[in-house]
Amino acid sequence: MIPEKEGLKPGLSRSRPRSEGKAAHPLATELTRRLGSRKVLSSLSERRNYRYDAIQFGVTPVCVVLPETTADVVLVMQAARRAGVPVVGRGAASGLSGGAAPMQEAVVVSFTRMTALAVFPERREALAQPGVITLKVSEAARPYGLIYPPDPASFRTSTIGGNLGENAGGPLCFKYGVTGDYVRGLEVVDADGEVHVLGRDAYDLPGLLIGSEGTLGLITAATLRLTPPPRHTRTLLANFAEVGACAEAVSAAIAAGAVPSKLEFMDRACVGAVEDYLGLGLPRAAEAVLLVDTDGDDLDTVQEELALVEAACQAAGGEVRRAATDSESAALWQARRSVSPALGRIRPQRMNEDIVVPRSVLPEVVRRIRALGDESGFHLVQFGHIGDGNLHPNILFDPRRESMEAVHDLAHRIALVAIQHGGVLSGEHGIGTMKRDFMRDAVDPVTLDVLRDVKRALDPAGALNPGKVLPDPERADAGEAANAHS
Amino acid sequence: MIPEKEGLKPGLSRSRPRSEGKAAHPLATELTRRLGSRKVLSSLSERRNYRYDAIQFGVTPVCVVLPETTADVVLVMQAARRAGVPVVGRGAASGLSGGAAPMQEAVVVSFTRMTALAVFPERREALAQPGVITLKVSEAARPYGLIYPPDPASFRTSTIGGNLGENAGGPLCFKYGVTGDYVRGLEVVDADGEVHVLGRDAYDLPGLLIGSEGTLGLITAATLRLTPPPRHTRTLLANFAEVGACAEAVSAAIAAGAVPSKLEFMDRACVGAVEDYLGLGLPRAAEAVLLVDTDGDDLDTVQEELALVEAACQAAGGEVRRAATDSESAALWQARRSVSPALGRIRPQRMNEDIVVPRSVLPEVVRRIRALGDESGFHLVQFGHIGDGNLHPNILFDPRRESMEAVHDLAHRIALVAIQHGGVLSGEHGIGTMKRDFMRDAVDPVTLDVLRDVKRALDPAGALNPGKVLPDPERADAGEAANAHS
C-alpha cells in the first residue's frame, strides 16, 4: 500500500483545498440524490483514497462515482458539466504516470463496477466494460483456445479501461503489439455526455482516445480482438557483468533473426530488490539480467530462436541459464512482475520513466542513465522491455528526506538522454503528470499546438482530466480556447 | 485505362469549370516560378489526367505539383493557403473510393517522385517517402529476411502514401493487420504548411491521419514496421454451388480453429470475368469460389489448418482443390489480383463497395446483395476478404447508357444491408466520395459532429481534400467553422 501523504508535487496541497472541507460539494449532493448513495462516495475518508494512483498524489475529489452503466456515466458527465467541475476517469489506479490522479478538484469516475465481459469465439472478439481486470479477458477466452495478448506487469489488478487510457504495453508487446492494436471499436461518452459507438474506419477516433488518459472522453465499452496462444514457449535467463553488454546481446540476437516474444532487462539494483523481496535465486552479482521467452507453434523454430539468443548472449560475455521446466519459467517471470512491489520496499516513492530509444543506442543510453543515477546520489534502478528499446529508469526516493525538485531534475535529465538519442518519452505508461512537462522537449511547439487543437475540439471546456498529457500553455487557457477559431 | 469522360457525378462538371480555361491560374504561375516548371504541370492536357482516380471523376485541378522534398510540399501548402485554393494529395490513384479525385478546383500534389526508401534491418523498420510503390518495401526488405505485410490488390502500382491515406488492407490483413498496424511514425505537413514528426505516443495523431485521405494533413514520410515472412504457405481453392454455403464454410473453418492468412471469395460473375480475361482454368460453373492460404513457420501446423479449411468446405458441399506447387498457387492468386482489370472489360465504370459485416451474417448478407443485384438489372459482382467479413459488391455500369442515380440508389441499398446487419461501410478502401453520403446512415449525427470538430481542429479552412470522408453538413459550413467555439 502507498502511504497517505501530501505535498509531493511542488505547489499542490500546500493550503487545504476546498474539497477537504466537511460540507458536501453541491455536485456531490446532486449526484447522490440522482444516482443513490450506493453509487456515490462523498465522505472525506472515502474520497481521500481516490487522490492518487500508483505513483502520483493529487487533489481530493469532490466526490467519487461508481457507475454501473453507461447511462450513469452520461448522467455524471452532464451534471459535472453544468456544475463546471472536471471529470477524471479511473480504473484500478495501478498506472505509473499519474494518469488517474485528479490534479484539481474533480469528480472521479471509478469504473470498478462496470465489469461485464462477453467472449464471442466465432468472431475472436471480447466485449468488455472498462472495469474488467485485464487478466480476466484471457481467462474467459482461454476455454475457446484464445487469449488477449497485452500483458502489463499489473495485469492481475489493472483494468481494461485503464489499459486503454494509457495504451498499456507489457513484455509480450514486443512481438504482439500494445493495447490499442487489439481494439476493434469503442463506446465512448464525450465531454457533453453524448454516447458514441466508434469503429476504426473514417477518422480513427478510437485510436485517438486510446492513450489519451481520459482527456478526450470516457471509454464505457471496448470490443477487443482475441488470438490463439502460441503452442510452445521457452525461457532463458542471461546475466552480464556490464549493462551495455546486455543491450548489445539483445541487438545482436534480433539482428540474427530471433523474434523473442518477451525480452526483459533488469539491472543489478533491480535484481537485488526482487531477491530481497522474493528470494528466487536470481544472480545478485550480475550488473544486468536478461529474461527471454521465445514462442510459436513450431517447437523447432522456438528452440532455434532461443539458441540464437543464447549464442548472442554468450558472444557478449553473458552467462546463460535455460529454464528446464514450465514452473522454473513461471518463477523467472514472477520475478519480473514483482519489480514494482519490490522497489516499493526500498523507498516509499518512485519516479518511474518509460522512455523508448532505438535499439542501436541502447548500450550508450543505459550507461549514460546509470552514470546520471550514480552522480545524483539517488537510488536509481533500470529495467524494461529492452526488445523494443522501452526502458524504465526508476528514481526511488523518500519525500520526507529528499527534494522533489532534485528528483524532478534527474528525471528530466534522463528524459533528455532519451530525446538526444532519438527516443520518445512514453512507451506504455502514458504521459500523465509525470512526463507532461518533458513534452516540451519531445514535441516541437507547432505540433503541441496541433495536439491542443485536437484536445479543444473534443473537450472545449477542458473538463476532462485536466493537467494530463499536454503541458500547460500560458495560464489564460480557457479564454484562448473560447477564441481559438473566431 | 479509364476513358476520359465527364459528368459522372450528378451536379458536377455540368458547366465548364474555371480551371478548364486556357489561362494559367495565378497559383499555377506562382508555383511554376518558385518550384520550376519541371515540378509543376500546368497545361490543360496534363492537368486533365489528374481529375480522377481508379473509380471517380472529379474536377480538373488548377495545376499539379510533383514535389521532390518535404520542403516542396511545405511551399505548395503555404502558397495554396494564401491563394485560398484547396490541396489534394495523390499517390498512384489506384484507390477505389475516390479519395484522390479533386472534387473542386484544387492543387493536386502528386507524390510519385518522392520515392526514397531505406531499410533498417536491426530495427526491423523501413523509412519510406509517400511515392514508394507498396511492393518495393517488401522487395527492399526481403534480402534481410523481412517483409512488409499489407498487400492491397494493387500493390504493384499503389503507393505507401495512398495506402496510408486510405488505411489500405489486402488479403493478408485478415491475419496480419492493415496498413495502420505497421506504422511507427509519420512526417506530416499540416494545413498551415508546418512540418510535424509524429510518434504514436501521447495523442495518436498518426492514427488519426492514417485513413483520413489527406483531409487532415499530407504525409511526407512514414516509418514502417517490418516482420519476418512465414516459412511455409499452402493454398487451396474450393467451389460451391451457392454463395451462402461458401460463407458458411468460412465461418465453420474459423470456428474450428483455422487462422488462414488469406481467405478470398469470388462469386460466379467475378470468376467469369477473370476467366474471360486470363483463362486460368477457374471453375466457371461455380456460384462461389473460395481461395485460401494458410501460413506459418511449422509445416505441420500449416497443413493441419489447411485440412481444417478443406473439411469445412466439404461439409458445406464445396469441391476442394489443393495447389500442388508454388506456381499453381501463384496462378490462383494472380486470378484474385486480376479482378479489378477483368471487371473493367465488362463495363467502363464501376461502383465498388467495401462493406464489412460480422462473419455470422455473411451468408444472409451475400444472398441479400445478390438478390438486390438481380432485381436491379445491373451487372453486379461480389468478391472480397471473406475471412474478416470484408465484401466488395461491385456495380458495373456504362455511364452513357445507365443512370448514375440508379447506380447510386443500388449502392445505397447495398450499404443499408451492411448497416442493418451490424456492419460498417469501409473495410480497406476508405470512405472517399463513394461512401461519403452513406456515412449519415452509418454514423449518428452527434458522432459526425465530433468528427467534424476534429477536422476543423486540424484544417479550419477546409482546404485539405474538400468533399471527402465526411458528408456535407448544411451549406453554411465555413461560417459555422468560424463560429464553432466562440
Side-chain angles (χ1 to χ4, degrees):
Chain A
M1 274 308 294
I2 293 171
E4 291 218 6
K5 237 168 298 93
E6 298 242 350
L8 289 185
K9 198 169 156 64
L12 265 186
S13 309
R14 285 199 180 133
S15 62
R16 162 178 284 212
R18 190 178 57 152
S19 58
E20 288 277 306
K22 286 283 177 192
H25 189 284
L27 180 58
T29 311
E30 179 191 347
L31 290 172
T32 306
R33 181 173 50 76
R34 295 178 63 193
L35 288 167
S37 59
R38 214 173 60 80
K39 293 185 186 172
V40 183
L41 307 179
S42 51
S43 79
L44 181 56
S45 61
E46 288 170 321
R47 289 185 282 128
R48 291 184 74 162
N49 292 327
Y50 290 82
R51 273 175 306 173
Y52 51 78
D53 65 10
I55 200 139
Q56 173 74 48
F57 267 75
V59 174
T60 303
V62 302
C63 65
V64 178
V65 176
L66 303 164
E68 293 173 7
T69 64
T70 300
D72 290 346
V73 179
V74 168
L75 189 151
V76 177
M77 202 70 112
Q78 289 174 342
R81 186 182 171 217
R82 278 193 305 273
V85 174
V87 175
V88 178
R90 182 184 176 96
S94 54
L96 295 169
S97 64
M103 301 315 289
Q104 49 179 272
E105 283 198 340
V107 184
V108 165
V109 178
S110 177
F111 283 100
T112 44
R113 288 188 191 163
M114 285 180 70
T115 56
L117 173 63
V119 174
F120 304 96
E122 271 219 17
R123 285 189 267 144
R124 298 195 169 180
E125 285 177 0
L127 183 64
Q129 283 187 322
V132 169
I133 303 278
T134 313
L135 179 62
K136 298 266 181 197
V137 182
S138 280
E139 283 182 355
R142 210 175 283 276
Y144 304 102
L146 297 167
I147 58 164
Y148 170 71
D151 61 342
S154 56
F155 73 149
R156 289 168 200 283
T157 50
S158 71
T159 63
I160 290 296
N163 294 171
L164 289 165
E166 304 295 344
N167 198 12
L172 271 180
C173 296
F174 172 57
K175 184 167 178 182
Y176 293 103
V178 294
T179 301
D181 295 321
Y182 289 85
V183 176
R184 288 252 165 87
L186 295 178
E187 181 187 82
V188 172
V189 175
D190 74 11
D192 289 335
E194 298 284 355
V195 181
H196 305 280
V197 177
L198 303 168
R200 305 204 68 166
D201 52 348
Y203 294 159
D204 181 15
L205 278 191
L208 192 61
L209 281 144
I210 296 160
S212 75
E213 308 186 358
T215 63
L216 304 177
L218 289 181
I219 295 168
T220 47
T223 302
L224 305 172
R225 189 164 62 86
L226 306 172
T227 63
R231 298 187 184 190
H232 307 286
T233 303
R234 289 295 180 269
T235 303
L236 70 70
L237 180 145
N239 56 74
F240 297 85
E242 201 261 326
V243 284
C246 170
E248 276 157 11
V250 168
S251 282
I254 293 171
V259 195
S261 56
K262 302 182 189 175
L263 257 176
E264 297 291 306
F265 154 74
M266 294 185 280
D267 74 357
R268 181 183 186 137
C270 184
V271 168
V274 172
E275 275 302 290
D276 289 345
Y277 181 40
L278 296 173
L280 294 165
L282 298 180
R284 276 179 185 276
E287 282 299 322
V289 164
L290 189 65
L291 248 174
V292 181
D293 265 7
T294 60
D295 72 11
D297 289 336
D298 176 26
L299 187 56
D300 288 346
T301 307
V302 172
Q303 291 189 324
E304 220 171 84
E305 291 195 276
L306 203 71
L308 283 175
V309 177
E310 183 167 29
C313 289
Q314 286 164 341
E319 207 173 285
V320 175
R321 187 173 107 201
R322 290 191 184 211
T325 63
D326 283 357
S327 66
E328 195 184 335
S329 162
L332 292 175
W333 284 108
Q334 192 199 347
R336 170 62 186 85
R337 271 197 301 276
S338 304
V339 167
S340 272
L343 296 180
R345 291 158 41 98
I346 297 176
R347 291 285 187 280
Q349 293 292 327
R350 60 189 171 117
M351 171 76 99
N352 181 349
E353 301 210 48
D354 181 31
I355 59 174
V356 182
V357 297
R359 222 161 33 226
S360 52
V361 299
L362 265 176
E364 168 69 8
V365 166
V366 168
R367 286 171 192 139
R368 290 265 314 262
I369 293 173
R370 178 74 269 150
L372 284 175
D374 292 346
E375 282 162 28
S376 73
F378 278 104
H379 204 98
L380 181 136
V381 304
Q382 297 191 76
F383 57 96
H385 317 305
I386 200 165
D388 40 16
N390 185 192
L391 280 184
H392 299 312
N394 270 237
I395 308 164
L396 312 184
F397 63 95
D398 184 337
R400 290 164 302 195
R401 291 178 302 186
E402 285 159 315
S403 133
M404 270 311 289
E405 279 77 8
V407 171
H408 205 73
D409 177 60
L410 175 56
H412 193 179
R413 277 182 288 140
I414 291 170
L416 286 177
V417 170
I419 293 164
Q420 285 156 3
H421 287 81
V424 299
L425 297 179
S426 175
E428 56 172 18
H429 293 169
I431 301 295
T433 56
M434 305 307 282
K435 283 154 286 184
R436 196 164 81 97
D437 290 338
F438 312 157
M439 286 279 282
R440 290 186 214 278
D441 304 311
V443 181
D444 72 71
V446 288
T447 301
L448 268 183
D449 283 345
V450 171
L451 296 175
R452 287 199 184 98
D453 286 343
V454 169
K455 163 76 171 168
R456 226 162 3 227
L458 295 173
D459 179 24
L464 298 175
N465 207 358
K468 302 295 166 61
V469 185
L470 300 180
D472 289 329
E474 299 77 314
R475 263 286 120 221
D477 197 16
E480 267 174 23
N483 296 318
H485 295 292
S486 63
Chain B
M1 275 308 293
I2 291 171
E4 290 219 4
K5 237 170 295 92
E6 298 242 348
L8 289 185
K9 200 171 155 61
L12 266 185
S13 308
R14 285 204 180 129
S15 62
R16 163 178 281 215
R18 192 178 54 153
S19 58
E20 287 278 306
K22 287 281 175 191
H25 190 285
L27 180 59
T29 310
E30 179 191 346
L31 290 172
T32 305
R33 179 173 52 75
R34 296 178 64 192
L35 288 167
S37 59
R38 213 173 60 82
K39 292 186 187 171
V40 183
L41 307 179
S42 51
S43 79
L44 180 57
S45 60
E46 287 171 322
R47 289 185 282 128
R48 291 183 73 162
N49 292 328
Y50 291 81
R51 273 175 306 172
Y52 51 77
D53 65 9
I55 199 139
Q56 172 76 47
F57 268 76
V59 174
T60 303
V62 303
C63 65
V64 178
V65 176
L66 302 165
E68 292 173 9
T69 64
T70 300
D72 291 345
V73 179
V74 168
L75 189 152
V76 177
M77 204 70 114
Q78 289 173 341
R81 187 183 171 216
R82 278 193 305 272
V85 174
V87 175
V88 178
R90 181 184 177 98
S94 53
L96 295 170
S97 64
M103 301 315 288
Q104 49 178 274
E105 283 198 341
V107 184
V108 165
V109 179
S110 177
F111 282 100
T112 43
R113 288 188 190 161
M114 286 181 69
T115 55
L117 173 64
V119 173
F120 303 96
E122 272 221 16
R123 285 190 268 145
R124 297 197 169 179
E125 285 177 0
L127 182 64
Q129 283 188 324
V132 169
I133 303 277
T134 312
L135 179 61
K136 299 265 181 199
V137 181
S138 280
E139 284 182 353
R142 211 175 282 275
Y144 304 101
L146 298 167
I147 58 164
Y148 170 71
D151 61 342
S154 56
F155 73 150
R156 289 169 200 282
T157 50
S158 71
T159 63
I160 290 297
N163 294 170
L164 290 165
E166 304 294 344
N167 199 10
L172 272 179
C173 296
F174 172 58
K175 185 166 178 183
Y176 293 103
V178 294
T179 301
D181 295 322
Y182 289 85
V183 176
R184 289 252 164 86
L186 294 180
E187 182 188 82
V188 173
V189 175
D190 74 11
D192 290 334
E194 299 284 356
V195 181
H196 305 280
V197 177
L198 303 168
R200 305 202 69 164
D201 52 348
Y203 293 158
D204 181 14
L205 277 192
L208 193 60
L209 281 143
I210 295 161
S212 76
E213 309 187 357
T215 63
L216 305 177
L218 289 182
I219 294 167
T220 47
T223 302
L224 304 172
R225 189 164 62 87
L226 306 172
T227 63
R231 298 187 185 191
H232 307 285
T233 303
R234 289 295 180 270
T235 303
L236 71 71
L237 178 145
N239 57 74
F240 297 85
E242 201 262 326
V243 285
C246 170
E248 277 158 11
V250 168
S251 282
I254 294 171
V259 196
S261 55
K262 303 182 188 176
L263 256 177
E264 296 291 306
F265 154 73
M266 294 186 278
D267 74 357
R268 180 182 187 140
C270 186
V271 168
V274 172
E275 276 302 291
D276 289 344
Y277 181 40
L278 296 174
L280 294 164
L282 298 179
R284 276 179 184 274
E287 282 298 322
V289 164
L290 190 64
L291 249 174
V292 181
D293 266 7
T294 60
D295 72 10
D297 290 336
D298 177 24
L299 187 56
D300 288 347
T301 307
V302 172
Q303 291 188 323
E304 220 171 86
E305 290 196 276
L306 203 72
L308 284 175
V309 177
E310 184 168 29
C313 289
Q314 286 163 342
E319 210 173 285
V320 176
R321 189 174 104 199
R322 290 191 184 210
T325 62
D326 283 357
S327 65
E328 194 182 337
S329 162
L332 292 175
W333 285 108
Q334 192 199 347
R336 172 62 187 85
R337 272 197 302 276
S338 304
V339 167
S340 272
L343 297 180
R345 291 158 40 98
I346 297 177
R347 291 285 187 283
Q349 293 291 327
R350 62 190 172 115
M351 170 77 100
N352 182 350
E353 301 210 47
D354 180 34
I355 60 174
V356 182
V357 297
R359 222 162 32 227
S360 53
V361 299
L362 265 176
E364 169 69 7
V365 165
V366 168
R367 286 171 193 141
R368 290 265 315 261
I369 292 173
R370 178 73 269 151
L372 284 176
D374 292 346
E375 281 163 28
S376 72
F378 278 104
H379 204 98
L380 181 137
V381 306
Q382 298 191 75
F383 57 95
H385 318 305
I386 201 166
D388 41 17
N390 185 192
L391 279 184
H392 299 313
N394 271 237
I395 308 164
L396 312 184
F397 63 95
D398 184 337
R400 290 163 302 194
R401 289 178 303 186
E402 285 160 316
S403 131
M404 271 309 291
E405 280 76 10
V407 171
H408 206 74
D409 178 61
L410 176 56
H412 192 180
R413 277 183 288 142
I414 291 170
L416 286 176
V417 170
I419 293 164
Q420 285 156 3
H421 286 81
V424 298
L425 297 181
S426 176
E428 56 174 17
H429 294 171
I431 300 296
T433 56
M434 305 306 283
K435 283 155 284 184
R436 195 165 82 98
D437 291 339
F438 311 157
M439 287 279 284
R440 291 187 213 278
D441 303 311
V443 182
D444 72 71
V446 289
T447 302
L448 268 184
D449 283 345
V450 171
L451 296 176
R452 288 199 184 97
D453 287 344
V454 168
K455 164 75 173 170
R456 225 159 6 226
L458 295 173
D459 178 24
L464 298 176
N465 208 358
K468 301 295 165 63
V469 186
L470 301 179
D472 290 328
E474 298 79 313
R475 264 283 122 226
D477 198 15
E480 266 175 22
N483 298 318
H485 295 293
S486 62

